[in-house]
Amino acid sequence: MRIVPRIKPDGGGTITFFLAHGAGRQLCQLATTFATQKQAFSYLQKYRTEFERIARTRLDSGELEDGVVVLSML
């Protein structure tokens, strides 16, 4: 998984990561309400397995927004 944190101007952040899916990679974005990249990254790492499961389910069912699996905090 490759992770690229981005913080939004409203204080929330989006962490972008790539999910290995078969032979390819799928772009995923996780929207968070954390103020810092470190907090958002820690949150993603803590729940990584759950987010990967949700992302795979959405990818398999075709739930994409402009080719991206969009997730939000649990």
Side-chain angles (χ1 to χ4, degrees), residues 3-64:
I3 301 168
V4 181
R6 294 189 178 110
I7 298 300
K8 292 190 249 176
D10 65 0
T14 301
I15 299 177
T16 301
F17 62 97
F18 291 91
L19 177 70
H21 191 72
R25 303 272 184 257
Q26 174 60 47
L27 180 65
C28 302
Q29 292 181 336
L30 170 63
T32 72
T33 58
F34 293 108
T36 68
Q37 291 179 358
K38 185 176 180 178
Q39 291 171 323
F41 182 74
S42 291
Y43 177 78
L44 175 62
Q45 291 296 5
K46 183 177 180 180
Y47 296 104
R48 186 180 102 199
T49 304
E50 184 67 16
F51 283 120
E52 286 181 350
R53 185 190 63 74
I54 294 167
R56 287 182 203 287
T57 300
R58 290 188 181 177
L59 181 59
D60 290 341
S61 67
E63 293 180 51
L64 303 173

